[in-house]
Amino acid sequence: MLSLCLSILLLITGSDITSKNENVMKFELIELPYDSGALAPVISKQTIELHHGKHLQAYVNKLNELIPGTRFENADLETIVKESDGAIFNNAGQILNHNLYFTQFSPNGGGDPTGPLAEAINATWGSFEAFKKEFVDSGVALFGSGWVWLAKDDKGSLSITKEANGSNPVVKGLTPLLGFDVWEHAYYLDYQNRRVDHLNELWKIIDWDAVNKRY
Ligand code: MN
């Protein structure tokens, strides 16, 4: 069916499809694994639609504008984040951040982590409760816009890292596991200035199966 459509398109336009591929957008907006209203009231439908459909879409559009003609034309997102700077770094970082962010939630999420990740959290912080407190405190303490992450190093050791603006733990050689977005666009419509309330509510929708797969 696809090839039939392409053939028809080719006949209609009279152009060479392969030459057009060079202009095809390289990065695409990820699809949400849930309905936009499914995470309410922790995150409202309006916030999800603006955050995913407008903010993340804008980062995707901007990166696709910026990379043609640079050495990042054929690079994957993580490589771009590790090796770029300036506007390319900012937009690529925000795409990587949000792709991880939106896919770590579920309307059936919440509860405690399980398996090896739960054991590592307990070994590092003493308890899940103690980990959550330090994680939220870190997010509250982050001045301005940025992210707080649970990350692991190449030996599997866990740490909480704060990243300013569009940065991501990969720039420190770490693997991001769980990230809370503390940019105001992530919570202002629902929580106004109460960042701490927003961060405390997010635990109710964490999809620990998705986070476990990153560990
Ligand atoms: Mn955001």
Side-chain angles (χ1 to χ4, degrees), residues 5-21 23:
C5 291
L6 289 174
S7 302
I8 291 167
L9 185 65
L10 194 60
L11 286 171
I12 293 168
T13 61
S15 61
D16 179 4
I17 291 284
T18 56
S19 73
K20 282 190 177 260
N21 280 345
N23 297 324

Side-chain angles (χ1 to χ4, degrees), residues 17-208:
I17 291 284
T18 56
S19 73
K20 282 190 177 260
N21 280 345
E22 289 169 16
N23 297 324
V24 167
M25 300 255 284
K26 182 173 169 57
F27 293 102
E28 292 184 357
L29 184 68
I30 56 153
E31 283 185 30
L32 296 174
Y34 39 77
D35 291 337
S36 59
L39 303 181
V42 176
I43 308 175
S44 70
K45 179 182 172 76
Q46 186 184 20
T47 291
I48 288 290
E49 288 180 348
L50 286 167
H51 199 180
H52 173 261
K54 301 294 182 187
H55 289 275
L56 179 52
Q57 181 72 67
Y59 297 129
V60 171
N61 293 347
K62 192 67 190 175
L63 187 65
N64 285 324
E65 266 176 51
L66 291 169
I67 56 171
T70 74
R71 69 186 179 94
F72 300 113
E73 253 182 355
N74 296 306
D76 61 69
L77 206 48
E78 197 170 309
T79 302
I80 298 174
V81 175
K82 284 178 180 167
E83 298 182 5
S84 66
D85 55 21
I88 290 180
F89 171 78
N90 289 335
N91 286 281
Q94 283 292 69
I95 298 169
L96 179 61
N97 288 335
H98 288 90
N99 287 356
L100 291 161
Y101 176 81
F102 284 115
T103 56
Q104 70 189 10
F105 297 131
S106 165
N108 306 313
D112 291 0
T114 55
L117 179 61
E119 289 166 23
I121 287 173
N122 289 336
T124 308
W125 286 279
S127 69
F128 181 48
E129 289 304 314
F131 158 72
K132 284 195 291 186
K133 182 173 189 325
E134 187 176 328
F135 196 87
V136 169
D137 287 350
S138 297
V140 171
L142 194 151
F143 187 78
S145 296
W147 294 76
V148 57
W149 290 94
L150 171 65
K152 68 161 185 171
D153 67 13
D154 54 10
K155 296 185 183 72
S157 296
L158 299 179
S159 59
I160 293 170
T161 76
K162 289 188 282 187
E163 301 294 336
N165 300 313
S167 191
N168 182 282
V170 296
V171 302
K172 298 168 177 165
L174 301 172
T175 301
L177 305 176
L178 173 74
F180 284 7
D181 185 346
V182 300
W183 286 59
E184 286 185 345
H185 69 222
Y187 62 88
Y188 218 83
L189 288 172
D190 302 333
Y191 298 83
Q192 293 80 50
N193 60 310
R194 301 186 308 278
R195 185 192 283 184
V196 63
D197 292 349
H198 170 65
L199 299 183
N200 279 321
E201 287 296 296
L202 285 177
W203 302 112
K204 295 177 181 172
I205 54 169
I206 302 302
D207 180 350
W208 287 107

